[in-house]
């Protein structure tokens, strides 16, 4: 083994080669005064491996690879090859079967239905996002606004002939829309290479290749670069939980279990038709951690949403009795997967503390978003699937019966601050017969829109970062399909255009009010006012920022108008309406509140209270006045200059004091009058 290979191979075998893609795969190099490509692949069970492609008419053995000192790593230099040449590895298994496999470390691939790997020079792109990168290193994501637009690149918008936009065209169309709608981030369903459109990218065959459906890897770099220059963060879905069985992919790569767990009770998700990675194999650890870092470092992606974490954590996930076996401690936890996730997050966040590592984890596994040293998995955010399921169930319930399930609105606060949460209304909620968001709402046409506006207003005010899947911002009626573009023609209709305007204003309100994001993970940023009015389906609460400034949020989840709804408030003074989902410009009835003065009537644990009008099915935000500073004490009186005039001076001072006391006494009286008037 030469000196160049010794360290990468050693680290790879230890599970610690976190940039394995620099060594493995296909790399344009010059050897012995010849230009060509060096190929390296891990195939520990293979009898022989060769490189095949158009350059040798796909004849096995024409360009054999040599194993590097019994490491299971094979290597060859093929002169004369150039960028974009197509190749595969021909692997001879122990049973003498010839397997034609795509390169696990390829940077580029043929466009479906072809599936060969392509030689590609990754270096050379000139980035222009230095200002963004510098800003991100100073970012405190936990206490910053994060409002994510989740999207599928192939079906957000398509050309008249049905063809998708390429990466560059997509950037030019998408970025102005994201800026206009006040989103902070875009999250892309997986863009790692995948053979089947219907998998939406979640069955990956190329963990280092941006899908060629929309262009080259440098085209995707340009997409990310343009987003950053416009101030938009880019999150990408990443799938280390499983991979498909396609014969050219990772499954049984060298004729035996290589990337997958060899135990049949651990190595397969039968429901999905996929294989499960062997997280206890060091070479697989190197492969997966390298893939994650690859997108963050080579493509400047700002974060990864790690898919299907629950399926990694539990040995019995979607398995019946007899289809799984306990771990070495007698439990159902996948201990190797737990250790892998901790290692993954530790490596990434040590190198890049400002990157986002988001877990799609649907169970009550503790401390998902807590540091590893505190017993956590090390993610910095977790999708709040419990909140999502409860609220979609509640919003789908006929308002006549919501009183009986009021706890679905309030239950999330028993655990809201146990993790750093993202509130996800994702693609999974608008497919497979679940209906679009607007069609989940009960009632007639207008009531559906009112219900959706109410829900979005509640979601925006609830603690946690925000995520909304494309099309739901303008209330698309049909379920999402990856096979066609969104129904943008709906914006020709008032109700859909008004819904889009409402989401635009909600997003702007969120950005402009740190009360909604600055203390997102602590009770210090939240306080109940009315949690228990299940009979009227009303909740009210306060959101507070680091300075103590507050916004009062009131949600009426019933299609009944409340014209004299009384609630306690924390500060005496005037409360003003800031945003109302029932505004006429959003398609509502236009019932608003004038400025409301408090009255000294204890209610809900507060000394002051107000009476407000709640439109039917609405969310209303109110400003909370600043507490008045304490009145300063009067200055000490000067001693009398002469004894002979002391009595006279005292009389004058006493009279002045009485006058001074009499004048302020009028102000409280005026307050009482105003309060009485407001009540009337």
């Amino acid at each position: 083994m030469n000196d160049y290979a010794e360290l990468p191979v050693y680290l790879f075998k230890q599970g610690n080669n976190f940039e394995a893609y620099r060594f493995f795969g296909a790399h344009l190099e010059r050897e012995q005064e010849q230009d060509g490509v060096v190929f390296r692949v891990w195939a520990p069970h293979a009898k022989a491996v060769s490189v095949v492609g158009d350059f040798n008419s796909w004849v096995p053995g024409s360009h054999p690879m040599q194993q590097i000192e019994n490491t299971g790593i094979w290597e060859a230099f093929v002169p004369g090859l150039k960028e974009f040449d197509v190749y595969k590895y021909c692997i001879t298994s122990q049973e003498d079967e010839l397997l034609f496999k795509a390169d696990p470390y390829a940077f580029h691939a043929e466009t479906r239905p072809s599936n060969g790997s392509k030689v590609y020079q990754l270096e050379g792109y000139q980035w222009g996002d230095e200002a963004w990168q510098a800003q991100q290193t100073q970012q405190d994501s936990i206490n910053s606004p994060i409002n994510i637009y989740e999207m599928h690149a192939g079906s957000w918008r398509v050309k008249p002939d049905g063809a998708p936009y390429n990466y560059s065209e997509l950037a030019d169309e998408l970025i102005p829309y994201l800026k206009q709608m006040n989103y902070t981030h875009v999250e892309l369903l997986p863009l790692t290479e995948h053979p089947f459109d219907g998998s939406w990218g979640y069955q990956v065959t190329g963990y280092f290749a941006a899908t060629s459906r929309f262009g080259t890897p440098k085209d995707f770099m340009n997409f990310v670069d343009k987003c950053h220059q416009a101030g938009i963060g880019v999150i990408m879905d990443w799938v280390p939980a499983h991979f498909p069985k396609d014969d050219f992919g990772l499954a049984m790569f060298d004729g035996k279990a290589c990337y997958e767990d060899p135990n049949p009770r651990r190595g397969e998700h039968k429901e999905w038709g996929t294989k499960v990675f062997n997280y206890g194999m060091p070479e697989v650890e190197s492969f997966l951690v390298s893939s994650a870092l690859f997108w963050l470092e080579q493509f400047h992606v700002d974060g990864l949403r790690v898919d299907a974490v629950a399926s990694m954590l539990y040995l019995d996930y979607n398995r019946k009795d007899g289809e799984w076996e306990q771990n070495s401690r007698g439990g159902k936890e996948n201990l190797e997967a737990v250790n892998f996730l901790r290692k993954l997050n530790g490596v990434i966040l040590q190198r890049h503390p400002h990157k986002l590592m988001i877990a799609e984890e649907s169970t009550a596994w503790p401390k998902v978003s807590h540091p590893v040293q505190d017993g956590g998995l090390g993610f910095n955010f977790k999708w709040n699937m419990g909140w999502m399921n409860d609220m979609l169930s509640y919003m789908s319930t006929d308002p006549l019966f919501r009183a009986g399930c009021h706890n679905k609105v309030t239950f999330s606060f028993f655990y809201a601050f146990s993790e750093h949460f993202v509130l996800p209304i994702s693609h999974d909620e608008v497919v497979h017969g679940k209906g679009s968001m607007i069609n989940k709402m009960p009632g007639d046409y207008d009531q559906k829109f009112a219900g959706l506006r109410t829900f979005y207003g509640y979601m925006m005010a609830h603690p946690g970062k925000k995520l909304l899947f494309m099309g739901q911002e303008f209330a698309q009626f049909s379920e999402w399909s990856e096979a066609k573009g969104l129904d943008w023609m709906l914006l020709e209709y008032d109700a859909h255009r008004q819904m889009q305007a409402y989401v635009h204003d909600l997003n702007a309100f969120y950005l402009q009010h740190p009360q909604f994001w600055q203390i997102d993970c602590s009770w210090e940023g939240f306080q109940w006012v009315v949690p228990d009015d299940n009979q009227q389906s009303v909740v009210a609460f306060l959101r507070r920022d680091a300075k103590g400034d507050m916004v009062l949020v009131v949600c009426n989840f019933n299609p009944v108008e409340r014209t004299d709804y009384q609630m306690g408030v924390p500060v005496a003074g005037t409360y003003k309406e800031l945003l109302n989902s029932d505004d006429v410009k959003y398609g509502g009835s236009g019932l608003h509140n004038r400025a409301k003065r408090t009255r000294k009537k204890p209610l809900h644990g507060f000394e002051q209270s107000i009476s407000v009008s709640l439109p039917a099915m609405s969310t209303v935000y109110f400003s909370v006045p600043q507490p008045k500073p304490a009145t300063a004490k009067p200055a000490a009186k000067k001693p009398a200059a002469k004894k002979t005039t002391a009595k006279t001076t005292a009389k004058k001072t006493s009279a002045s004091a009485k006058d001074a006391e009499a004048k302020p006494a009028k102000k409280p009286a005026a307050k009482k009058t105003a309060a009485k008037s407001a009540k009337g």
Side-chain angles (χ1 to χ4, degrees):
M1 188 186 304
N2 59 42
D3 293 339
Y4 174 79
E6 188 170 352
L7 182 59
V9 170
Y10 172 78
L11 292 174
F12 180 70
K13 291 289 185 177
Q14 297 297 311
N16 294 324
N17 188 337
F18 304 139
E19 297 179 6
Y21 60 87
R22 298 186 185 277
F23 182 73
F24 291 94
H27 299 273
L28 290 161
E29 293 186 12
R30 185 174 178 82
E31 289 190 7
Q32 300 177 351
E33 299 184 358
Q34 287 185 301
D35 292 326
V37 175
V38 172
F39 296 93
R40 296 188 189 93
V41 66
W42 177 57
H45 308 109
K47 271 190 178 180
V49 185
S50 62
V51 186
V52 295
D54 291 336
F55 57 90
N56 61 15
S57 301
W58 299 88
V59 176
S62 297
H63 290 83
M65 303 180 76
Q66 303 300 315
Q67 188 172 179
I68 302 176
E69 296 183 5
N70 298 315
T71 60
I73 299 169
W74 302 76
E75 181 181 50
F77 175 74
V78 180
L81 295 190
K82 59 189 182 302
E83 191 172 31
F84 298 111
D85 280 350
V86 179
Y87 69 96
K88 283 186 179 180
Y89 297 117
C90 178
I91 297 173
T92 304
S93 73
Q94 293 294 325
E95 289 74 28
D96 293 322
E97 182 183 4
L98 296 182
L99 308 171
F100 292 85
K101 294 287 189 174
D103 187 350
Y105 288 90
F107 298 147
H108 196 27
E110 290 185 290
T111 305
R112 68 195 186 318
S114 299
N115 50 48
S117 301
K118 286 186 176 183
V119 176
Y120 191 80
Q121 182 72 35
L122 198 66
E123 295 77 16
Y125 180 79
Q126 298 298 312
W127 288 90
D129 65 346
E130 295 82 3
W132 170 267
Q133 296 282 39
Q135 176 193 3
Q136 292 307 296
T137 60
Q138 307 300 317
Q139 193 77 8
D140 173 14
S141 59
I142 302 299
N143 298 301
S144 297
I146 296 179
N147 190 9
I148 303 166
Y149 187 72
E150 188 194 32
M151 63 170 290
H152 176 257
S155 61
W156 177 70
R157 188 173 283 167
V158 297
K159 298 176 182 177
D161 62 357
Y165 289 108
N166 62 36
Y167 288 118
S168 179
E169 294 167 336
L170 182 62
D172 292 341
E173 290 284 328
L174 176 67
I175 290 171
Y177 185 72
L178 295 176
K179 295 294 290 183
Q180 172 195 338
M181 291 297 292
N182 297 302
Y183 285 101
T184 63
H185 292 72
V186 59
E187 180 177 322
L188 299 154
L189 272 59
L191 290 176
T192 38
E193 193 57 84
H194 54 283
F196 177 49
D197 289 354
S199 79
W200 313 330
Y202 289 99
Q203 296 201 2
V204 180
T205 52
Y207 277 81
F208 295 85
T211 179
S212 58
R213 288 167 173 79
F214 314 120
T216 68
K218 287 191 178 72
D219 291 334
F220 181 52
M221 291 180 186
N222 182 250
F223 172 90
V224 176
D225 199 3
K226 286 180 176 179
C227 286
H228 286 174
Q229 291 182 45
I232 300 293
V234 179
I235 302 167
M236 195 173 81
D237 284 11
W238 182 68
V239 191
H242 60 121
F243 56 90
K245 298 178 181 178
D246 296 70
D247 57 10
F248 69 91
L250 297 178
M252 303 294 286
F253 186 75
D254 53 10
K256 294 186 180 297
C258 187
Y259 288 88
E260 63 267 51
D261 195 311
N263 186 335
R265 294 189 177 188
R266 294 166 58 111
E268 186 173 356
H269 283 308
K270 292 183 179 179
E271 184 180 6
W272 298 338
T274 56
K275 295 286 189 177
V276 177
F277 281 105
N278 185 356
Y279 303 107
M281 178 70 73
E283 294 88 343
V284 174
E285 285 187 301
S286 291
F287 174 80
L288 287 173
V289 177
S290 294
S291 172
L293 278 170
F294 176 76
W295 298 103
L296 298 171
E297 294 182 346
Q298 298 300 314
F299 287 82
H300 294 197
V301 168
D302 299 286
L304 300 175
R305 176 267 200 183
V306 181
D307 181 64
V309 170
S311 75
M312 300 170 66
L313 294 174
Y314 296 97
L315 295 170
D316 64 342
Y317 186 88
N318 275 1
R319 294 181 175 93
K320 300 175 183 177
D321 291 343
E323 295 180 347
W324 65 282
E325 61 185 38
Q326 296 176 333
N327 61 35
S328 59
R329 301 175 185 173
K332 62 181 180 180
E333 301 82 11
N334 188 330
L335 301 178
E336 293 81 8
V338 171
N339 290 334
F340 164 73
L341 289 170
R342 288 171 171 166
K343 183 175 188 174
L344 169 75
N345 289 316
V347 170
I348 288 175
L349 295 177
Q350 183 177 19
R351 287 194 184 197
H352 309 287
H354 57 287
K355 297 291 187 181
L356 304 177
M357 291 298 292
I358 306 169
E360 188 231 356
E361 203 287 307
S362 55
T363 74
W365 186 282
K367 297 185 176 182
V368 171
S369 59
H370 290 240
V372 172
Q373 59 266 30
D374 295 338
L377 292 182
F379 291 93
N380 45 22
F381 287 100
K382 171 184 173 174
W383 272 22
N384 194 337
M385 308 290 280
W387 170 88
M388 177 273 297
N389 284 315
D390 281 349
M391 282 308 301
L392 294 189
S393 172
Y394 179 81
M395 295 306 301
S396 300
T397 301
D398 189 306
L400 287 173
F401 305 105
R402 284 181 180 170
C405 51
H406 189 75
N407 65 313
K408 290 185 177 180
V409 180
T410 59
F411 181 72
S412 61
F413 290 96
F414 284 98
Y415 60 86
F417 309 112
S418 63
E419 302 275 6
H420 301 152
F421 280 121
V422 174
L423 307 182
I425 302 300
S426 75
H427 64 281
D428 277 330
E429 312 320 317
V430 293
V431 291
H432 299 326
K434 295 179 183 178
S436 63
M437 284 301 297
I438 188 68
N439 266 332
K440 294 180 194 297
M441 303 297 119
D444 61 24
Y445 184 81
D446 289 335
Q447 289 173 334
K448 285 180 179 292
F449 281 90
L452 192 56
R453 291 194 303 270
T454 303
F455 171 66
Y456 285 166
Y458 168 79
M459 174 185 176
M460 194 60 74
H462 190 289
K465 310 309 179 187
K466 321 302 174 190
L467 180 145
L468 189 65
F469 184 59
M470 64 180 194
Q472 309 315 304
E473 76 276 16
F474 60 82
Q476 175 163 305
F477 266 105
S478 62
E479 282 191 342
W480 168 61
S481 168
E482 82 285 345
K484 63 184 184 70
L486 297 180
D487 297 332
W488 293 101
M489 74 288 186
L490 290 175
L491 291 174
E492 297 174 11
Y493 299 91
D494 289 344
H496 297 275
R497 192 166 56 252
Q498 290 162 342
M499 179 63 74
Q500 186 189 49
Y502 175 62
V503 173
H504 166 277
D505 288 359
L506 264 186
N507 291 347
F509 188 95
Y510 174 74
L511 289 178
Q512 294 160 9
H513 289 79
Q515 296 93 330
F516 278 13
W517 45 260
Q518 203 166 64
I519 309 178
D520 236 3
C521 305
S522 167
W523 279 106
E524 295 176 2
F526 176 90
Q527 185 176 1
W528 276 118
V529 176
V530 182
D532 55 358
D533 188 359
N534 65 310
Q535 293 305 309
Q536 299 185 88
S537 298
V538 172
V539 295
F541 53 87
L542 298 161
R543 291 302 311 274
R544 184 181 288 107
D545 66 15
K547 295 180 180 179
D549 293 339
M550 292 178 279
V551 171
L552 172 63
V553 179
V554 190
C555 303
N556 178 12
F557 291 110
N558 205 293
V560 178
E561 184 180 294
R562 317 288 182 191
T563 55
D564 185 24
Y565 192 87
Q566 299 184 35
M567 71 185 78
V569 287
V571 180
T574 302
Y575 286 68
K576 297 179 181 178
E577 193 177 279
L578 299 174
L579 189 144
N580 186 333
S581 68
D582 192 55
D583 198 303
V584 172
K585 65 182 176 181
Y586 306 138
S589 69
L591 177 62
H592 286 279
N593 289 272
R594 295 180 179 178
K596 295 291 184 178
R597 294 280 296 175
T598 56
R599 57 177 175 170
K600 194 169 179 59
K601 177 185 176 183
L603 197 60
H604 301 125
F606 299 97
E607 293 299 318
Q608 306 286 330
S609 59
I610 57 173
S611 173
V612 297
S613 294
L614 301 181
M617 199 66 72
S618 65
T619 293
V620 186
Y621 301 158
F622 294 92
S623 65
V624 178
Q626 289 282 352
K628 292 184 178 180
T631 305
K633 293 182 180 179
K637 299 173 184 177
K638 293 182 180 180
K642 295 180 181 179
K643 290 184 179 180
T644 54
T645 60
K647 190 173 183 179
T648 306
T649 305
K651 286 183 178 179
K652 289 182 179 179
T653 304
S654 178
S656 298
K658 288 180 181 178
D659 290 341
E661 289 172 1
K663 289 178 182 177
K666 295 179 181 177
K667 290 186 177 179
K671 286 182 181 177
K672 290 179 182 177
T673 303
K676 187 175 181 181
S677 175
K679 182 182 177 184

